[in-house]
């Protein structure tokens, strides 16, 4: 029965994802473009946008992701211990149900970057299985809750916190499976993605980023269109000895899915440890844009953006699917603003590299990307190695783009990118691997990029509208502390985003002009979503500063190199916002 | 120099307290009526009130009190560890200064009722002393911060947490003194009020609720107008042995001051322990409305409302000063909605009892108050004693009124009362006194009063407009969970208040009609304030559920008798709101 109920469930989810009333997955639909066709709120009236209602989650660690809305019910995720709240939108003043897991507090001490969670998944029901809300818990457990009443339907352990493996990624439902990633590359965790059956949590497939071909899902036609990206055997051959077993390549970012191609896309993260001297080789398939057959996990293509990473340019960032004409040719594309300072556009059918543009003209680690081989060419001055203290490296380890969920307007063919503007000094050191302990091997100092205010530690971010066809930016604006959470684009010619210092902003998506802003209780590291209820368009955004840039505030740290260097870069943030955790919902009414 | 600078400082404070732009003390001015003459926001336009800006304090315990505003700067108090934030109202998106004390975490375990704080005091500067913000810390320290930059000016220890004495009361500036109360009557703390010099924190006077006359401030003319209230010697004679030394009578509520009479008014709290069998006698001067000469602390009059308390009807509630005609005669009054279910109005010049009305017709512990003696007459059925299990006692230990700061409209001559509607069963038990340990001796079950929904544990509060002259209520409305924090009245014919489940409401103060409501991130236990900035009227209210009714939510308790009985009464609250901590500021713009 799996086959047919799976197809029905997928059809239902796709249908829901296309409606205005529902918001059923990260990025709104499988293209992950976080674009809404609604235009009730638009450039003319957005100045009148006001808070309609609010909800505090009762938790203070950073709030990432965005809520889901299905059939008039909103599902809210929250930071550790990852409570879930269901609110009936006809009366959001009362909690319909709540799920408050008791988690092993040990999970707290092995999370790298605050105790965040990037969102929930929804399964619309199918076969004998009811509609489900799926929640990834920091302690590595995946739980499926009945959407109706929040009761536990199944639970499965995905990650073992004893070896430092946590779970912050939003689960992702495709057909009757839920895809779950992994975290912990700062502790030597070998990354993997797993597909579980939504019916009972049974494992359908699990694929790793490193190791033997079978475990990576590499078959005969892997990278057949682009053999220069590398083919068989490299998950072992590009590592010294057993280093691949503690080699990182987790995936804690975002997914996209193409139902026609039956491929799921995501990026694998940084190799472990950060100290490059300790792991000679390309370290495949970390830092890779992966396209897998969703039914069996097989890797159709893999393009490694940063071979042998020297900077923690974890490659997990958002991937958005678009169909555009490039140089006059209709193409099925995926676009990925990477942490290494380059925004990549690939032919998503076969992995062909179509565009590789700098996210900002201040990137200095690369001179360019060789479009034939796909290999970025380095400036050794800004490399990191034991015999060289790297200074003024741009981007910093946070990348020029981190976990932000961006958006894409298919009418304008523009991507709205939430960009970091942070550079760094990097001093490596050697250290032994110990299971469940941090395994990094570098001391970082971070500070604003060249366009920022280095005196006052402001100007740490940008927002830009990117045109892939012309490899250019339609507009870009500086931000005081960065729009860490990402953007929402709407047919109202608007782009929305929240900033780390707590401003929710709306700009004209054509021109970048600031049309509206609102000071939220605490800084935002989630991304906005929009939905319609009873004919009214609402826009919602979590507040709750945290994430990697917020660790100084969250854990009350002072040493500028603490928090893997984040404390120094964001030293001024505490003078603009304090912790909080909740949701604001806006409308014109 | 003290004398003259004191007078100047007081004049300055009084002047500020009368302006619309400033809000310089709890209850707005020395009458403590929390009434504003502003009418920019009024019954016609309040429906358009909207959130102007917000601020999260980064703390989750209950947020009581209300912010201060002086000269365009807002000062925000918060729950433990009692951070203070100053925000420039021209740019409230940035923190002007912050004070984050490191407190002894042991204070947490001896606080009775969540880790709350009721607000700050402002001293406008005088002599060589700069303008100060004074903050009471839960760990018993009083700190004076320079209003300009938040730096510490002086610090003094008022309460010893080792014996269970904490500090939650808002400090109160009169002349060049700051009056500070005490908490801990649930741990056998002997209550006192202390006046410190604002110049250096030196003690000016300290007066106790129990013990020898000198230590209570009882002189020859004490209660001269009402000798039947009791005179000398009773602080010892109404106690068995040394019981007065651990006899309670703390004061953690609110103050009022009459500059012409030079008297400061406040109520002393419950005798300790709650179990009445363990402390025979009237237990004077617990449960007493006190009027003290502010210069030397001498007690001018004291009226004990609940002699030999059997129910924890701590007598610390708000006292509001008004000048009204009663039965045609101009009188200087004080009005005090007491926890014991009776609202008292006294002649504030001499303590004469003018009115003693039930807060609700469901009060059953008393039949009436003898207006000659001032003694309330009991119905023994609803008493508590070792040989009697009291059931359906109304009010409960929370009283029909607790820490709410009410308001009074001098035009309408109406008091806006935030009333509880909770009854209880009470089972006493004996226990030994141990310093620093809870010393209560009773197990409580609480539930809605007769007008509430006892099936669903809703209908736990009311809001009422009280007319003292006619001893009647102009209007009253039920509330789902009570308006625990109190009310604000304005010349816009409005009364504002927040509810435990997180609704901020505005009613027509003449009729009680609901004109506007807004769902805040978390429940409110503070009271609203209003101020003008650049010509615009703003209304502000803390969110952050907690206090005694919120302990179930705050400390994750399930046993209905836990939290001294609060958990059972408020079992439904968790389905309406979660913790939070911050401020919402509203305007018509
Ligand atoms: O390597 C990993 O497994 C891992 C996990 C996470 C995470 O789970 O949040 C982050 C990172 N790395 C990381 O490199 C990073 O920059 C980062 C930022 C954040 C955040 O939420 O702000 N998480 C993470
Ligand atoms: O006897 C005391 O010293 C004392 C202190 C406090 C306090 O400091 O908050 C409360 C009480 N008692 C009390 O009886 C009470 O009902 C109460 C409610 C609250 C609150 O903030 O909700 N505090 C207190």
């Amino acid at each position: 029965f799996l086959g047919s109920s799976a197809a029905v469930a997928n059809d239902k989810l796709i249908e829901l994802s296309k409606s205005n009333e529902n918001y059923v997955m990260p990025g709104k639909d499988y293209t992950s473009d976080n674009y809404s066709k609604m235009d009730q709120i638009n450039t003319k009236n957005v100045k009148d946008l006001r808070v309609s209602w609010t909800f505090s989650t009762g938790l203070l660690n950073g709030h990432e992701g965005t809520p889901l809305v299905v059939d008039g019910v909103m599902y809210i995720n929250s930071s550790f211990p990852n409570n879930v709240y269901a609110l009936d939108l006809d009366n959001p003043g009362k909690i319909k149900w709540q799920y408050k897991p008791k988690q092993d507090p040990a999970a707290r001490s092995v999370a790298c970057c605050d105790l965040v969670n990037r969102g929930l998944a929804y399964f619309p029901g199918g076969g004998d299985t009811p509609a489900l809300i799926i929640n990834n818990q920091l302690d590595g457990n995946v739980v499926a809750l009945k959407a109706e009443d929040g009761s536990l339907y199944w639970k499965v352990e995905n990650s073992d916190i004893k070896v430092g493996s946590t779970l912050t990624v939003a689960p992702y439902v495709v057909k009757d499976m839920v895809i779950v990633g992994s975290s912990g590359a700062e502790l030597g965790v070998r990354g993997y993605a797993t597909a579980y059956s939504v019916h009972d949590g049974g494992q359908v497939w699990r694929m790793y980023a490193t190791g033997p071909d079978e475990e990576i899902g590499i078959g005969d036609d892997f990278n057949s269109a682009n053999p220069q990206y590398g083919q068989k055997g490299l998950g072992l051959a590009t590592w010294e000895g057993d280093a691949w077993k503690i080699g990182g390549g987790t995936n804690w970012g975002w997914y996209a899915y193409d139902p026609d191609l039956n491929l799921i896309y995501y990026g694998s993260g940084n190799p472990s440890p950060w100290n490059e001297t300790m792991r000679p080789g390309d370290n495949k398939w970390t830092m890779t844009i992966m396209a897998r057959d969703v039914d069996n996990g097989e890797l159709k293509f893999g393009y490694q953006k940063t071979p042998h990473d020297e900077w923690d340019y974890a490659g997990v960032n958002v991937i958005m699917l678009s169909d555009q004409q490039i140089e006059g040719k209709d193409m099925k594309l995926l676009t990925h603003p990477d942490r290494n300072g380059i925004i990549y556009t690939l032919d998503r059918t076969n992995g062909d590299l179509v565009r590789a543009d700098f996210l900002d003209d201040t990137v200095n680690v690369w001179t360019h990307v060789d479009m034939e081989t796909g290999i970025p060419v380095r400036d050794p001055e800004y490399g990191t190695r034991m015999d060289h203290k790297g200074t003024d490296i741009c981007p910093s380890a946070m990348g020029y783009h981190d976990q932000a969920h961006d958006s894409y307007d298919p009418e304008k063919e523009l991507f709205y990118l939430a960009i970091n503007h942070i550079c760094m000094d990097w001093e490596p050191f050697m250290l032994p691997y110990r299971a469940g302990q941090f395994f990094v091997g570098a001391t970082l100092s971070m500070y604003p990029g060249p366009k920022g205010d280095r005196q006052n530690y402001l100007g740490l971010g940008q927002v830009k509208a990117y045109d892939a066809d012309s490899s250019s930016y339609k507009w870009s604006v500086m931000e005081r502390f960065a729009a860490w959470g990402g953007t929402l684009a709407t047919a109202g010619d608007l782009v929305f985003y929240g900033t780390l210092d707590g401003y929710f902003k709306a700009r004209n998506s054509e021109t970048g002009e600031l049309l509206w802003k609102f000071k939220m209780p605490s800084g935002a590291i989630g991304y906005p979503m929009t939905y319609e209820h009873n004919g009214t368009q609402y826009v919602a955004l979590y507040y709750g500063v945290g994430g990697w840039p917020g660790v100084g505030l969250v854990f009350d740290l002072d040493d500028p190199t603490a928090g893997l260097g984040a404390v120094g870069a964001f030293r001024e943030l505490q003078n603009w916002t304090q912790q909080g955790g909740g949701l604001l919902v806006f409308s014109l009414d």
Side-chain angles (χ1 to χ4, degrees), chain A:
Chain A
F1 75 105
L2 287 187
S4 75
S5 89
V8 171
N10 219 41
D11 287 353
K12 176 91 194 286
L13 198 59
I14 290 174
E15 193 191 307
L16 287 169
S17 76
K18 300 214 142 90
S19 65
N20 291 337
E21 290 79 6
N22 300 284
Y23 191 100
V24 291
M25 64 178 75
K28 179 141 179 47
D29 63 28
Y30 282 135
T31 68
S32 224
D33 66 6
N34 205 28
Y35 173 78
S36 168
K37 291 187 293 280
M38 274 185 283
D39 61 2
Q40 204 179 95
I41 302 168
N42 55 46
T43 50
K44 300 220 162 41
N45 58 25
V46 66
K47 67 179 189 323
D48 295 324
L49 205 60
R50 54 195 286 176
V51 187
S52 175
W53 57 274
T54 67
F55 180 77
S56 170
T57 62
L59 299 171
L60 289 180
N61 286 92
H63 280 58
E64 292 185 351
T66 210
L68 301 184
V69 168
V70 195
D71 292 338
V73 178
M74 178 180 282
Y75 301 94
I76 290 175
N77 69 298
S78 59
S79 55
F80 184 86
N82 309 122
N83 296 347
V84 182
Y85 301 98
L87 304 179
D88 182 337
L89 292 175
D90 285 337
N91 180 19
K94 187 176 183 193
I95 300 168
K96 179 178 151 89
W97 58 254
Q98 53 192 286
Y99 175 77
K100 292 187 167 180
K102 300 268 178 253
Q103 286 195 48
D104 187 341
R108 307 171 62 124
S109 52
V110 289
C112 77
C113 308
D114 191 11
L115 313 178
V116 296
N117 177 286
R118 287 188 194 84
L120 303 166
Y122 175 75
F123 173 70
D128 292 336
T129 304
L132 299 173
I133 291 292
I134 298 150
N135 185 28
N136 284 344
Q137 298 182 184
L138 191 71
D139 67 1
N141 285 295
V142 181
V143 295
L145 310 172
K146 282 197 206 164
E148 182 53 35
D149 61 11
S151 63
L152 189 66
Y153 193 66
W154 53 256
K155 175 173 176 170
V156 68
E157 188 186 297
N158 181 73
S159 317
D160 180 4
I161 55 168
K162 285 194 288 305
V163 300
S165 186
T166 50
L167 205 47
T168 64
V169 66
Y172 199 70
V173 166
V174 178
K175 301 183 178 174
D176 59 352
M177 290 174 289
V178 55
I179 316 295
V180 172
S182 55
S183 288
E186 275 62 58
L187 294 94
V189 168
R190 178 184 171 212
Y192 51 85
T194 313
Y196 297 99
S197 160
V198 288
H199 304 293
D200 56 12
Q203 187 174 308
V204 182
W205 53 259
R206 169 168 292 176
M207 294 297 172
Y208 289 83
T210 69
D213 284 348
E214 319 78 78
E215 298 185 14
I216 305 180
I218 290 182
D220 285 338
D221 71 340
F222 171 60
N223 275 345
S224 52
N226 290 285
Q228 76 282 14
Y229 290 171
Q231 293 184 286
K232 286 191 175 183
L234 298 177
L236 293 173
T238 61
W239 294 89
E240 204 172 62
D242 276 356
W244 57 270
K245 291 189 177 166
I246 53 168
T250 48
N251 65 101
W252 46 272
W254 309 101
Y255 302 94
Y257 169 64
D258 185 321
D260 297 328
L261 300 169
N262 203 36
L263 291 176
I264 180 159
Y265 304 92
Y266 68 92
S268 62
N270 57 288
S272 179
W274 290 6
N275 183 335
E276 62 77 49
T277 306
M278 295 172 68
R279 44 164 174 78
D282 268 2
N283 312 129
K284 286 196 161 51
W285 292 93
T286 65
M287 305 305 218
T288 298
I289 296 176
M290 295 184 164
R292 293 188 183 279
D293 180 304
V294 80
D295 291 325
N296 57 23
E298 211 172 277
L299 199 57
K300 166 107 178 162
F301 65 82
Y303 165 58
Q304 190 182 40
K305 300 156 289 176
T306 308
H308 188 68
D309 167 60
E310 305 172 28
W311 311 268
D312 181 40
Y313 291 154
V316 308
N317 287 354
V318 67
I319 289 176
M320 292 163 283
L321 310 188
S322 67
D323 295 348
Q324 298 187 52
Q325 284 200 348
I326 298 288
E327 291 168 14
K329 187 175 150 224
D330 282 329
M331 295 193 79
K332 289 175 181 289
L333 304 170
L334 71 79
T335 296
H336 168 79
D338 194 52
R339 206 144 122 173
N340 71 4
I342 298 165
I343 179 163
Y344 296 92
T345 296
L346 271 60
D347 181 330
R348 72 173 180 270
T349 65
N350 60 11
D352 285 356
L353 185 57
V354 176
R355 289 283 180 269
D357 295 313
F358 285 133
L359 282 172
D360 195 65
D361 53 13
T362 57
V363 169
N364 63 18
V365 291
W366 319 112
T367 58
H368 66 288
V369 175
D370 180 323
M371 295 300 284
E372 293 310 311
T373 61
I375 293 176
V377 181
R378 293 164 201 232
D379 180 340
E381 178 60 24
Y382 303 105
T384 79
R385 47 194 184 274
M386 286 304 289
D387 62 356
H388 173 72
K389 186 179 160 163
T391 55
D392 224 341
I393 301 169
C394 305
S396 80
M398 291 189 160
Y400 269 2
H401 191 292
D402 198 290
Q403 63 92 34
H405 198 304
D406 292 329
S407 60
Y408 168 74
D409 182 330
E411 302 298 323
K412 301 191 173 57
E413 299 192 342
L414 288 175
F415 294 90
Y416 300 100
L417 311 177
I419 286 175
N420 302 325
H421 190 63
I422 310 172
C423 302
M424 68 175 170
D425 302 344
W426 175 293
E427 200 156 11
F429 60 87
M430 310 293 276
L431 85 173
Y433 171 78
R434 287 203 193 86
Q437 308 250 329
F438 274 79
F439 186 51
V440 170
T443 305
L444 281 63
S445 299
M446 298 189 196
Y447 36 81
K451 297 173 183 170
D453 173 352
R454 292 193 170 175
Q455 211 72 38
N456 297 302
Y457 281 81
L458 300 174
L460 293 148
Q462 297 182 287
V463 175
K464 296 190 173 197
Y466 172 69
D467 176 343
D469 188 20
S470 66
S471 283
S472 69
Y473 294 94
K474 181 106 199 236
W475 53 262
S476 68
V477 294
M478 288 297 291
E479 281 295 338
R480 209 180 273 131
F481 292 102
W484 193 258
T487 67
L488 161 74
T490 75
D493 294 323
L494 293 171
V495 55
F496 289 92
Y497 60 91
T499 67
L500 273 166
D501 47 330
Y503 285 95
F504 191 13
K505 298 187 178 178
R507 292 184 183 274
N508 182 316
S509 57
E510 192 69 37
T511 65
E513 190 194 349
L514 182 67
L515 299 177
W516 173 82
K517 68 176 175 171
F518 180 85
K519 177 75 184 183
M520 307 215 298
S522 174
I525 58 170
Y527 61 95
M529 57 82 81
T530 183
Y531 66 94
E532 183 180 316
H533 186 68
N534 292 337
T536 299
Q537 184 185 358
Y538 294 86
V539 182
L541 177 62
Y542 289 131
Y543 62 85
V545 76
W548 191 7
V551 291
L553 254 170
V554 170
F555 300 113
D556 201 9
L557 307 173
D558 281 330
D559 174 359
T561 66
L564 301 170
V567 173
F570 290 93
R571 63 187 72 188
E572 277 300 312
L573 189 54
Q574 58 163 328
N575 295 325
W576 296 79
T577 195
Q578 300 289 315
Q579 284 185 271
L583 184 76
L584 296 188
V585 182
F586 298 80
S587 73
L588 293 171
D589 291 354

